[in-house]
Amino acid sequence: MEGNSGGGGGGGGGGGNDVELLCKTLQVEHKLFYFDLKENPRGRYLKISEKTSATRSTIIVPFNGISWFLDLFNYYVNSDDDQQDVFSKELQLDTKVFYFDVGENRRGRFLKVSEASVSRNRSTIIVPAGSAQDEGWAAFRNILAEINEASRLFISPNQTSEPSERLGLSDDVGAGFISSHSSQSGPTADLSVERTIDLPAADEVSNLGVSKVIRADQKRFFFDLGSNNRGHFLRISEVAGSDRSSIILPLSGLKQFHEMVGHFVEISKDRLEGITGANVRTIDSPQR
DNA sequence: ACGGCGT
């Protein structure tokens, strides 16, 4: 197995064991913003860094504050370009306070986001509004929205306080996969989906705790979300007997993959109806 | 290409 590939993955990073769940970059004018959704034993957080040729500034957003950031950026995106009626905002998260202020100089309008905490010096990022339609803010908002959505896909091994709720998300994924091309109310009639939550030991950093398996004929297919220093992927492993082979699907291709499978489900409907239940076994046979 | 903030 790949074992502890996490050791060499991101090159460490001074933070310690923090795992990168999601990384995005956004360029606005000449600034580069890095969004890193990370996780450590204390929980998840979003690190937003502003990078210019000479300057680097970072704020740390607690995980439960991402949606608030999204709301606030929406507020400034939707505000009128006349800045008279745009207000400063404060957002308290845990022990931190974030200040949102709109300013303007000869370079244009900008949104200043400052993080004030008890222990650290204040840190600030400044987001240009952009040329028109507040496109810089809107792009920033869109990244936040993507992160907010994507973060719901991942089960945090360290945030299992409400496991049933987390598992419900897995149900959404499984049901949607089938139901988008089938009107059957019971998508698991032919293939039963079993959830396995095997919390990996510290050595398998890439496994984020999302794992499912289906069985067809004598084969089992394991679906695992993972990530490495090149991003996020879905690993689909086919296991038959003692043989195992995998494909690694970058999440950027997941939707196309879904559509492609749906296409073949559609054109194979006749055959599927003919063999329903014959070649497909459920993984959890009733014990009788 | 910028550079805003505040010490």
Side-chain angles (χ1 to χ4, degrees):
Chain A
M1 296 302 197
E2 52 269 32
N4 54 355
S5 62
N17 308 324
D18 296 7
V19 181
E20 287 186 346
L21 300 178
L22 192 56
C23 298
K24 291 180 178 293
T25 62
L26 168 68
Q27 185 171 359
V28 181
E29 297 176 1
H30 100 289
K31 282 187 174 176
L32 201 52
F33 292 94
Y34 297 89
F35 299 78
D36 297 310
L37 184 66
K38 292 194 163 194
E39 181 176 86
N40 61 27
R42 301 191 193 287
R44 285 180 283 188
Y45 62 90
L46 177 63
K47 184 177 83 169
I48 304 177
S49 291
E50 166 198 313
K51 175 78 168 56
T52 62
S53 53
T55 317
R56 165 180 50 84
S57 187
T58 296
I59 61 173
I60 302 292
V61 184
F63 183 76
N64 63 359
I66 295 175
S67 59
W68 292 107
F69 260 64
L70 178 57
D71 290 347
L72 281 168
F73 266 86
N74 261 323
Y75 166 75
Y76 290 105
V77 168
N78 296 328
S79 67
D80 231 331
D81 281 4
D82 309 328
Q83 72 179 63
Q84 291 91 314
D85 54 353
V86 181
F87 297 99
S88 295
K89 299 281 185 182
E90 290 185 20
L91 174 62
Q92 171 134 24
L93 297 168
D94 301 337
T95 62
K96 297 176 175 177
V97 183
F98 292 91
Y99 300 95
F100 291 73
D101 297 290
V102 173
E104 182 166 15
N105 59 20
R106 65 184 184 281
R107 303 285 187 190
R109 298 208 306 153
F110 57 86
L111 178 62
K112 180 181 65 163
V113 183
S114 289
E115 168 194 340
S117 61
V118 286
S119 57
R120 292 179 166 272
N121 289 331
R122 194 161 70 81
S123 55
T124 300
I125 63 171
I126 293 177
V127 185
S131 56
Q133 315 289 339
D134 296 338
E135 63 184 31
W137 295 349
F140 201 101
R141 182 269 319 271
N142 292 341
I143 298 276
L144 288 174
E146 292 174 16
I147 293 172
N148 194 41
E149 281 300 307
S151 65
R152 308 197 308 192
L153 292 174
F154 307 119
I155 293 175
S156 166
N158 302 303
Q159 293 182 348
T160 54
S161 56
E162 293 171 339
S164 58
E165 182 183 351
R166 297 292 181 188
L167 295 180
L169 296 171
S170 297
D171 283 341
D172 291 343
V173 174
F177 189 90
I178 303 292
S179 63
S180 61
H181 288 287
S182 167
S183 60
Q184 294 179 356
S185 60
T188 59
D190 295 338
L191 290 177
S192 99
V193 178
E194 170 189 279
R195 274 190 299 273
T196 62
I197 306 300
D198 63 309
L199 297 187
D203 59 340
E204 187 163 352
V205 179
S206 65
N207 189 318
L208 295 174
V210 177
S211 183
K212 288 196 175 199
V213 59
I214 59 177
R215 173 174 291 187
D217 289 352
Q218 300 304 315
K219 294 179 176 180
R220 285 179 298 165
F221 296 89
F222 291 84
F223 296 75
D224 297 287
L225 279 178
S227 69
N228 55 26
N229 56 356
R230 296 179 56 182
H232 244 102
F233 58 83
L234 174 66
R235 182 182 62 202
I236 304 175
S237 298
E238 168 189 336
V239 179
S242 58
D243 295 328
R244 175 195 186 101
S245 62
S246 300
I247 65 170
I248 302 296
L249 176 64
L251 285 197
S252 59
L254 185 57
K255 188 177 180 186
Q256 283 178 286
F257 200 95
H258 179 189
E259 291 167 353
M260 189 65 74
V261 172
H263 166 74
F264 283 98
V265 169
E266 281 298 314
I267 66 174
S268 305
K269 263 184 174 174
D270 293 343
R271 297 181 188 82
L272 286 174
E273 288 169 2
I275 61 171
T276 295
N279 295 339
V280 179
R281 302 182 184 182
T282 59
I283 197 167
D284 275 342
S285 299
Q287 301 173 355
R288 30 176 127 173

